[in-house]
Amino acid sequence: MVRYAPSTKASVASDPNSLRIRGVVFDMDGTLATPMTEHLVNLHIELGVPRGMGILEYVDGFLQGAEREQAEKRIIEVETEAMANMRLSPGLVELLQFLHDNGLPIAIITRNNEVAAQHFLKQVVTRQPEDQWKLFGFDPVIDRSFRPTKPHPESLLYISQKWGVPPQELLMVGDHLDDLLCGVRAGSISALLRYGYNGAYECKAHISVDRIDKIIDSLAHGFDADMTIDGVTDMGGYV
């Protein structure tokens, strides 16, 4: 086990050189916002995606020409339908307040399109009280136009370089295997937001919580991380 020190301002001031989380990166759907699982399951069936394969991987690797264009159009239609029901994940404001108070930068890596990401930032976030808007200063916001997408670690390593924070001091938070593998493969800490459908992914998470603000406990008090967790898996991905 590797010990991570608390990420509070007080802890940093008294012990600035200890290993600790210095930045947090979030998945969007199912993490920052409530999940669109039903939409994705139906889309898997509609497009005929083989079991255990992600929708994007299937479209990129197996479809061509008009068939691919039609599938890409349908993906965007489903994402647009899901946006109408997008809500903040319970406990998110509390976690973002902690991160803001302690000066930790935040970012988003999503496999959704840019329209969905901007809908979250400009429509869902602005439904919150105006004095909370400052908590949602995600930078950068990386959508699926950045290739390769999760679970490849390139997007997380890009953020590491942009922020000047070593990968091992980044926390990648998500609800799906691709989020966890992205974190582990980058050499970062991965945190799983558990739902009824994703318990099998817990073996790839350093931290697991049932509500997103429970991550505060680990950041406020420090935690032990099993760094033997690897990025190898035979479990399937997602859209």
Side-chain angles (χ1 to χ4, degrees), residues 68-134:
R68 175 169 175 159
E69 290 179 8
Q70 183 61 34
E72 290 173 341
K73 178 181 177 182
R74 184 61 185 135
I75 291 170
I76 292 173
E77 289 174 350
V78 169
E79 289 174 334
T80 302
E81 293 167 7
M83 284 191 295
N85 298 315
M86 190 178 283
R87 300 290 184 274
L88 290 187
S89 182
L92 177 62
V93 171
E94 290 82 355
L95 173 57
L96 294 181
Q97 184 70 63
F98 174 88
L99 299 176
H100 181 269
D101 290 347
N102 289 284
L104 276 71
I106 56 176
I108 294 173
I109 301 175
T110 177
R111 284 163 59 101
N112 286 86
N113 64 42
E114 181 183 7
V115 173
Q118 291 304 313
H119 175 83
F120 174 78
L121 294 171
K122 295 180 179 179
Q123 301 296 326
V124 180
V125 169
T126 54
R127 294 179 200 146
Q128 310 312 305
E130 190 170 349
D131 63 352
Q132 294 180 0
W133 293 359
K134 66 181 183 294

Side-chain angles (χ1 to χ4, degrees), residues 29-31 34-37 175-176 193-201:
D29 172 57
T31 304
T34 51
M36 51 182 284
T37 308
D175 67 314
H176 274 277
L193 180 55
R194 288 190 300 251
Y195 295 96
Y197 58 79
N198 65 0
Y201 305 152

Side-chain angles (χ1 to χ4, degrees), residues 155-190:
S155 53
L156 191 54
L157 293 174
Y158 167 79
I159 292 173
S160 171
Q161 183 178 33
K162 179 179 175 68
W163 285 352
V165 175
Q168 63 267 30
E169 294 193 309
L170 293 180
L171 175 64
M172 179 72 215
V173 185
D175 67 314
H176 274 277
L177 181 62
D178 290 346
D179 306 315
L180 305 179
L181 293 179
C182 177
V184 171
R185 290 171 180 174
S188 303
I189 297 297
S190 63

